[in-house]
Amino acid sequence: MNKVSKFSLLFFFLVLAQWGNAQNKINGKKIYETRCLVCHQSDGGGVPNMNPPLDGASNVNGKDIARLVKIIRNGYDERVALDGMYYNNAMAANPDLKEEAIADVLTYIRTSWSNKAGVVTTSQVKAALVKNKAAKK
Amino acid sequence: MKKLTQLVSVAFLAFSLPVLAQENAGLKLPEGFKANLFANNIGAARHIAITKSGVVFAKLNNSNKDGNSIVRLEDANNDGVADKINGWAKYGGTGIFVKGNNLYASSNEAIFKYELNSKDEVVNPLAPVTIVSGLIDRRQHNSKSITFDMANNIYVNIGAYSNACQEKDRMPGSQGMMPCPILDSAGGIWKFDGSKENQTYKDGKRYGTGLRNVIGLDWNTTTNQLYVAQHGRDQLNSFYPNLYSDAQNAELPAETFYEIKEGDNAGWPYIYYDPIQHRKIVSPEYGGDSKKEGSSEYKEPAVAFPAHMAPMAVLFYTGNQFPAKYKNGAFISFHGSWNRAPLPQEGFFVAFVPFKDGKATGEWEIFANGFAGTENGAKIANPSKAKARPCGLAQGPDGSIYVSDDTKGAIFKISYNK
């Protein structure tokens, strides 16, 4: 393969990957709007004292993907301390959300508003679910 | 110490000046009224109480930057701005009330009593008397707001730790529990003796029930009745999209204002009040279809306000400073909604409910607006964008009213310009 075709192939895959990410984000946005927006709000700002913000939140933008996956799948029913504030409301579980859908909604959350933490892949979500299952035992 | 106080005052003034420069501290008021910032940045000020000499006490939601959760504010030079500010206590909470020479304050599970001296200073800041303890605090709706009747009884809100008493709270498809077991120890107003120490549930009485969460309550001294404002349930559209659109959820259910007599039941979680159909509707968790009418055994509201605006305090106005129409009517502060999303939020104002012959007329109006601080009163998408959120209300000895804000902790003083 000559240099030019190698380059075109690479370019093609890059475009494909970008297009894929955009599709994931669009799907993630749909899931966010039906399941998350009511409490976390359209701007990801949350509701003071009740529902924690996702925009700019340190743990949302952090490295612990497994924790985020766990919260989406199982819900959350503890007082949350986040970036110096406390939030009290319980979050419903989403047992019906497939790995791919969790990856899409996390991608949307982690790349929207001021968040620049980047994409979460389906394989990352699968690995997180395995890790969470192991931690439970 | 004096230098420090001066320094603090100068810093305080420097910070407040740009805000003070705004006419009426940024509030929009009826003709003839004026407002100024009595204090700012004292911490998340929930309810406030004022002594006969005009000393203001604010209960904070959490300890402020000085580590205090009750703040005392005095306007010693009488210029309308607090100049002597100090605080104490380590417990977050909402309720605060001055009764005679005592100051009562609540955490999210107990009520404490402090003694005031002749200068309205607290004698025993570190050793309050416990009046009631052991009240349920499961985080959601845990504010223990308090008021007193004309005897010495305390009325305390114990909010339901739930949205609609589902088997699993806020879980789509989860059914409502029948009967709702929460109502035995929460979801109502309990009455205790204000002078008795160390009371628990068994010493109190459930005075009114079927109230999901009441943060604002006050005793109407002209009719000798308790009035409460309830936070209506959330998320009809997210759990029942086939029955309720986003637009319908934004208007349902009403935030309701009730006159509560002993034994009254306002119907939560079985019904909610629909302000468009003007009737009680069976909750979908209990077999409702958005139209089926609820039982007539449940209390009718005295006033039905638009949905989700979150009433935080009720104040019956007994002063003589405001024009005659305000006398014995009720001010109600609205914190501002979140559950109208994806539609724009509403509230962030203080409303006035006129009373005639001891009854609410139902024709309420916005009294003070502009707390959210948006350009030309533009709507906001998220309550976290509001500059201030009205919470506590109290009447000063001169007949002015005070409004607290539980974001950064401003206290607005509103007076009538004769």
Side-chain angles (χ1 to χ4, degrees):
Chain A
M1 209 183 278
N2 65 33
K3 259 190 186 165
V4 174
S5 56
K6 258 188 199 167
F7 181 76
S8 335
L9 201 64
L10 186 68
F11 183 74
F12 173 73
F13 279 119
L14 271 174
V15 168
L16 199 69
Q18 283 303 317
W19 182 78
N21 287 346
Q23 284 306 307
N24 291 350
K25 196 171 169 179
I26 289 165
N27 187 39
K29 185 170 194 271
K30 270 188 206 149
I31 297 166
Y32 185 84
E33 283 170 353
T34 50
R35 297 188 186 229
C36 318
L37 181 147
V38 60
C39 296
H40 293 290
Q41 306 281 295
S42 57
D43 61 0
V47 181
N49 305 317
M50 299 173 78
N51 312 318
L54 304 174
D55 181 24
S58 57
N59 57 8
V60 169
N61 289 292
K63 290 200 169 77
D64 192 353
I65 306 283
R67 181 164 185 268
L68 303 176
V69 171
K70 189 177 172 181
I71 291 172
I72 290 176
R73 200 28 108 60
N74 302 347
Y76 197 84
D77 195 11
E78 284 166 48
R79 192 178 193 219
V80 194
L82 174 65
D83 303 327
M85 300 291 282
Y86 292 98
Y87 303 92
N88 281 323
N89 276 18
M91 175 175 147
N94 294 279
D96 58 321
L97 267 194
K98 301 273 181 287
E99 286 93 343
E100 195 181 352
I102 295 178
D104 289 351
V105 76
L106 273 176
T107 296
Y108 175 72
I109 290 167
R110 283 163 53 95
T111 57
S112 294
W113 317 300
S114 71
N115 291 346
K116 293 183 176 58
V119 171
V120 172
T121 63
T122 305
S123 54
Q124 274 177 300
V125 172
K126 281 180 179 159
L129 287 169
V130 170
K131 191 181 160 192
N132 290 339
K133 211 173 169 186
K136 222 172 154 187
K137 277 178 185 165
Chain B
M1 188 62 205
K2 202 174 169 196
K3 259 192 179 165
L4 186 71
T5 318
Q6 276 172 351
L7 203 69
V8 168
S9 308
V10 167
F12 175 76
L13 275 176
F15 196 88
S16 319
L17 276 175
V19 192
L20 282 173
Q22 269 186 310
E23 199 186 354
N24 292 321
L27 300 188
K28 200 167 164 261
L29 300 162
E31 188 72 36
F33 285 88
K34 61 181 168 94
N36 68 277
L37 268 180
F38 179 72
N40 203 359
N41 297 305
I42 65 163
R46 298 284 279 181
H47 282 177
I48 49 178
I50 307 183
T51 68
K52 284 201 178 99
S53 73
V55 170
V56 178
F57 290 99
K59 184 75 199 75
L60 309 187
N61 208 14
N62 295 295
S63 294
N64 64 11
K65 58 185 187 325
D66 304 320
N68 299 320
S69 69
I70 302 177
V71 177
R72 181 186 185 277
L73 305 104
E74 188 177 342
D75 174 14
N77 67 3
N78 210 21
D79 66 349
V81 177
D83 42 42
K84 236 177 110 182
I85 302 176
N86 54 43
W88 76 97
K90 302 288 171 206
Y91 55 90
T94 294
I96 195 148
F97 202 92
V98 173
K99 179 81 174 170
N101 295 326
N102 293 308
L103 175 73
Y104 291 78
S106 70
S107 68
N108 292 328
E109 56 182 21
I111 304 169
F112 304 102
K113 183 173 90 172
Y114 299 89
E115 196 186 319
L116 299 172
N117 66 17
S118 59
K119 292 176 186 162
D120 287 338
E121 293 160 340
V122 172
V123 175
N124 54 338
L126 301 175
V129 173
T130 303
I131 298 298
V132 185
S133 65
L135 303 178
I136 278 196
D137 170 10
R138 294 197 190 160
R139 306 197 318 278
Q140 191 176 176
H141 306 150
N142 60 2
S143 299
K144 302 297 182 288
S145 319
I146 51 174
T147 194
F148 277 76
D149 62 15
M150 287 144 86
N152 200 30
N153 298 301
I154 304 181
Y155 298 80
V156 54
N157 166 60
I158 306 179
Y161 42 90
S162 172
N163 176 40
C165 207
Q166 290 166 282
E167 285 164 14
K168 279 191 170 169
D169 186 34
R170 298 182 194 259
M171 187 72 191
S174 175
Q175 290 302 298
M177 291 186 276
M178 190 72 203
C180 174
I182 292 172
L183 293 168
D184 291 345
S185 59
I189 306 294
W190 266 253
K191 178 182 176 181
F192 291 95
D193 184 337
S195 56
K196 240 173 94 184
E197 297 181 17
N198 295 318
Q199 299 171 86
T200 59
Y201 272 105
K202 66 175 171 17
D203 305 296
K205 185 189 263 179
R206 192 177 74 176
Y207 188 79
T209 189
L211 291 159
R212 179 175 173 271
N213 187 31
V214 166
I215 302 184
L217 72 175
D218 196 17
W219 197 266
N220 183 348
T221 53
T222 55
T223 64
N224 206 21
Q225 298 282 357
L226 178 67
Y227 276 80
V228 307
Q230 174 185 234
H231 288 213
R233 52 131 342 130
D234 306 319
Q235 292 175 279
L236 285 164
N237 60 334
S238 21
F239 303 149
Y240 298 93
N242 300 332
L243 295 175
Y244 303 92
S245 66
D246 288 348
Q248 283 172 311
N249 176 72
E251 304 301 338
L252 295 174
E255 301 287 53
T256 39
F257 183 46
Y258 296 104
E259 176 195 276
I260 293 290
K261 296 189 176 73
E262 186 166 350
D264 275 346
N265 185 342
W268 180 90
Y270 312 117
I271 58 109
Y272 65 83
Y273 193 81
D274 182 326
I276 295 146
Q277 301 183 61
H278 300 287
R279 54 192 188 140
K280 290 165 288 196
I281 300 294
V282 176
S283 301
E285 290 82 359
Y286 290 89
D289 61 357
S290 81
K291 293 181 186 74
K292 200 165 142 189
E293 190 159 1
S295 166
S296 60
E297 72 178 288
Y298 303 126
K299 190 87 185 174
E300 283 289 324
V303 181
F305 287 95
H308 309 303
M309 301 196 306
M312 300 304 278
V314 175
L315 172 71
F316 280 97
Y317 187 73
T318 57
N320 295 317
Q321 187 193 99
F322 290 6
K325 79 168 214 188
Y326 294 98
K327 185 98 179 185
N328 301 321
F331 289 101
I332 303 182
S333 59
F334 287 95
H335 211 205
S337 64
W338 62 272
N339 193 222
R340 290 176 61 93
L343 277 75
Q345 305 300 349
E346 287 287 350
F348 313 98
F349 56 67
V350 176
F352 178 70
V353 180
F355 269 62
K356 206 179 168 214
D357 305 324
K359 294 281 173 198
T361 65
E363 286 167 28
W364 65 278
E365 60 196 44
I366 294 177
F367 173 70
N369 207 348
F371 292 90
T374 54
E375 294 268 328
N376 303 317
K379 303 278 185 225
I380 54 177
N382 181 338
S384 68
K385 297 289 182 288
K387 288 210 173 71
R389 300 182 76 188
C391 189
L393 293 173
Q395 184 184 312
D398 68 349
S400 300
I401 68 167
Y402 294 69
V403 185
S404 68
D405 143 55
D406 70 351
T407 59
K408 292 189 175 64
I411 296 182
F412 300 84
K413 179 178 181 180
I414 303 176
S415 310
Y416 185 67
N417 234 343
K418 269 167 266 196

